[in-house]
Amino acid sequence: MSKKLFIETLGCAMNTRDSEHMIAQLKEREGYDTTTDLKEADLILINTCSVREKPVQKLFSELGAFNKKKKEGAKIGVCGCTASHLGDEIIKRAPYVSFVLGARNVSKISEVLHKDKAVEIDINYDESEFAFDDFRTSPYKAYINISIGCDKKCTFCIVPKTRGEEISIPDELIIQEAQKAVDTGAKEIFLLGQNVNNYGRRFSDSEHEKVNFTKLLRRLSKIEGLERIRFTSPHPFHMDDEFIEEFASNPKICKSMHMPLQSGSTKVLKDMKRGYTKEWFLNRVEKLRKECPDVSISTDIIVAFPGESEEDFEDTLDVMKQVEFDQIFSFKYSARPHTEAEHFTNVVDEEIGSARLSHLQSMQTEIIDKNMQKHLGKTYEVYFEDLNRDNYVSGRTNANLVVKVKGSEELLGKFKNVKITQIGRTICTGEIVE
Ligand code: 5AD
Ligand code: SF4
């Protein structure tokens, strides 16, 4: 009988892919199969995120709960970004943890499994050319890493300290992986990196051909049978005209762009070291909408960054009003260790931060309620990926709108034209039209 692996994945899509890589290695090399029942697991992994403080605080209570529930002899491993930043402190605080594996050390999963109390968190470790075994959660789409690490110096962000310097994965390996995904049934690929449009700045092999992100997209789109290409996250600073024009004109690239704004105030952006101004951001949105009128745009916003005045916050609201984002992921600033902003003294009062966050979120809800109406009665091509409860199947339109229709698994992995009959805030309902 196979051994059982229970894995919990927190954080971003990069972590989702890291978890897939660990599952692949453990299946192929160690004879594990995944389970959703913690009590039957022989190995419990938590793939952690450290981008904000709360999930880090929760880690230890969760570890305690897992330790109580786990079966006799089961191992617990802590992986991901919090593993990178806390290292052996995790074992000191939770001595029942068997190993700690950092976000940039995923390929060492077999190794740490067989060493008691191993701590592998080297952020200079280079996994950019490591050939992981194959595993993907969805048969219909494939996550593919195009780079590891991050070279930016955003003053709020812990990621460069958990994932190390940015190294691009050679384009020939990415193309090979995409081809393999298509050959095994995926019609969509999702390219992942901290700054995807900074792709090609540095390869492990310094002699490697200088391929930029636009070129990579062009090369990937030649793969026959590949229908959709998505990616996250691009950086507004690197959104040059060439990139936007390729995005707009390449029919395989899905027309949904994530543009992490963080703040609408040029002063705050400077303090965050984001490398662009409010005007640059608005100019890029304008260019994008001009080239690609049907694009949907999502963003990340942080409120109450140290020194953010009422006027700065108004600037953020102003960008929101001008752009009318299709989706916003908004956060209250959380001071993180090993970051520059951790030492900023002009901290914004907690209550003011909470009030700003709820103000921003209710304004966005109004924008969404108004703008979602435009979809009613429209027909879009939907790629079906998920089986839902109550005999519904859901998928996404090219512009990333989630749509569900009545149906069964035979729709999965298929493209269908769907007329939208009901609007929701995050998911619409429709009917298949021939
Ligand atoms: N505090 C709050 N939000 C943060 N993010 C990153 N670091 C912090 C922080 N210290 C947000 C950013 C980023 C998203 C993944 O998380 O908006 O784009
Ligand atoms: Fe992803 Fe950043 Fe969280 Fe690491 S800290 S899991 S890179 S969001």
Side-chain angles (χ1 to χ4, degrees), residues 176-243:
Q176 224 175 64
E177 202 176 330
Q179 182 68 59
K180 213 192 291 172
V182 171
D183 291 344
T184 52
K187 293 182 183 131
E188 179 176 314
I189 58 170
F190 207 127
L191 307 175
L192 302 175
Q194 294 297 336
N195 287 300
V196 286
N197 51 344
N198 193 31
Y199 177 80
R201 219 172 76 101
R202 183 193 301 117
F203 292 95
S204 221
D205 170 8
S206 55
E207 305 285 296
H208 192 279
E209 180 200 357
K210 289 279 164 234
V211 186
N212 68 11
F213 188 52
T214 307
K215 225 184 223 163
L216 175 69
L217 289 171
R218 279 191 200 130
R219 290 183 180 176
L220 281 167
S221 58
K222 292 209 178 90
I223 296 177
E224 232 171 278
L226 175 63
E227 310 268 351
R228 287 183 170 187
I229 302 173
R230 298 187 192 277
F231 51 80
T232 202
S233 285
H235 194 296
F237 175 77
H238 297 293
M239 288 196 175
D240 55 27
D241 286 356
E242 189 202 26
F243 166 65

Side-chain angles (χ1 to χ4, degrees), residues 51-52 156-157 260 262 300-302 331-336:
V51 82
R52 281 169 291 277
F156 54 80
C157 190
Q262 311 301 1
D300 292 343
I301 295 177
I302 299 175
F331 316 98
K332 189 159 80 165
Y333 170 71
S334 163
R336 307 305 298 121

Side-chain angles (χ1 to χ4, degrees), residues 287-415:
K287 168 82 180 163
L288 185 59
R289 290 232 165 103
K290 182 167 156 267
E291 299 291 334
C292 189
D294 292 332
V295 67
S296 72
I297 306 179
S298 56
T299 197
D300 292 343
I301 295 177
I302 299 175
V303 300
F305 184 76
E308 183 189 74
S309 66
E310 207 50 46
E311 212 184 339
D312 294 321
F313 178 60
E314 287 294 331
D315 269 329
T316 299
L317 299 180
D318 183 47
V319 174
M320 284 173 59
K321 276 186 214 142
Q322 291 197 50
V323 176
E324 301 198 348
F325 293 103
D326 295 272
Q327 197 178 13
I328 294 187
F329 302 93
S330 51
F331 316 98
K332 189 159 80 165
Y333 170 71
S334 163
R336 307 305 298 121
H338 318 299
T339 61
E340 223 184 302
E342 181 199 13
H343 308 290
F344 292 179
T345 50
N346 40 4
V347 175
V348 176
D349 190 84
E350 275 291 319
E351 276 166 32
I352 294 177
S354 302
R356 285 183 187 164
L357 188 63
S358 66
H359 182 152
L360 181 152
Q361 287 173 342
S362 57
M363 192 172 120
Q364 179 60 13
T365 305
E366 273 174 37
I367 292 174
I368 287 186
D369 285 347
K370 173 173 76 91
N371 287 349
M372 286 297 279
Q373 296 304 324
K374 70 174 181 235
H375 300 300
L376 199 62
K378 291 256 173 68
T379 298
Y380 301 113
E381 190 176 53
V382 174
Y383 182 47
F384 288 102
E385 294 167 62
D386 292 306
L387 205 53
N388 306 136
R389 278 173 294 142
D390 310 330
N391 302 319
Y392 277 98
V393 181
S394 64
R396 285 168 193 271
T397 67
N398 188 304
N400 215 22
L401 188 70
V402 182
V403 178
K404 62 173 186 177
V405 301
K406 279 265 184 220
S408 56
E409 59 261 325
E410 77 247 17
L411 280 175
L412 295 175
K414 300 212 170 95
F415 287 90

Side-chain angles (χ1 to χ4, degrees), residues 10-15 48-51 81 103 158-159 162-163 194:
L10 307 167
C12 62
M14 263 63 70
N15 260 22
T48 58
C49 171
S50 57
V51 82
C81 288
I158 194 173
V159 176
T162 64
R163 289 188 176 265
Q194 294 297 336

Side-chain angles (χ1 to χ4, degrees), residues 47-82:
N47 197 4
T48 58
C49 171
S50 57
V51 82
R52 281 169 291 277
E53 194 184 1
K54 242 194 214 139
V56 178
Q57 285 171 344
K58 269 180 29 197
L59 173 66
F60 289 96
S61 55
E62 189 160 40
L63 279 173
F66 282 0
N67 187 43
K68 268 199 198 127
K69 282 193 211 145
K70 77 175 171 99
K71 79 173 183 195
E72 182 79 33
K75 287 184 176 181
I76 299 181
V78 178
C79 320
C81 288
T82 307

Side-chain angles (χ1 to χ4, degrees), residues 46-179:
I46 311 185
N47 197 4
T48 58
C49 171
S50 57
V51 82
R52 281 169 291 277
E53 194 184 1
K54 242 194 214 139
V56 178
Q57 285 171 344
K58 269 180 29 197
L59 173 66
F60 289 96
S61 55
E62 189 160 40
L63 279 173
F66 282 0
N67 187 43
K68 268 199 198 127
K69 282 193 211 145
K70 77 175 171 99
K71 79 173 183 195
E72 182 79 33
K75 287 184 176 181
I76 299 181
V78 178
C79 320
C81 288
T82 307
S84 304
H85 113 249
L86 292 182
D88 54 7
E89 200 188 316
I90 295 176
I91 296 183
K92 278 193 200 124
R93 281 179 65 182
Y96 47 82
V97 167
S98 301
F99 60 85
V100 175
L101 184 68
R104 209 182 159 111
N105 298 257
V106 173
S107 61
K108 299 181 194 160
I109 181 73
S110 282
E111 217 174 286
V112 293
L113 184 66
H114 298 294
K115 271 194 231 153
D116 196 31
K117 310 292 173 206
V119 178
E120 290 286 346
I121 55 167
D122 180 3
I123 65 160
N124 295 313
Y125 190 62
D126 182 359
E127 295 189 309
S128 66
E129 298 187 18
F130 188 83
F132 286 98
D133 291 310
D134 296 321
F135 176 80
R136 61 175 195 264
T137 316
S138 165
Y140 314 110
K141 75 168 170 220
Y143 286 110
I144 300 178
N145 289 346
I146 68 164
S147 60
I148 58 174
C150 178
D151 268 358
K152 293 272 177 281
K153 298 206 162 30
C154 302
T155 55
F156 54 80
C157 190
I158 194 173
V159 176
K161 293 288 185 309
T162 64
R163 289 188 176 265
E165 74 169 4
E166 193 170 313
I167 304 178
S168 299
I169 293 169
D171 59 317
E172 61 276 13
L173 297 184
I174 298 169
I175 291 167
Q176 224 175 64
E177 202 176 330
Q179 182 68 59

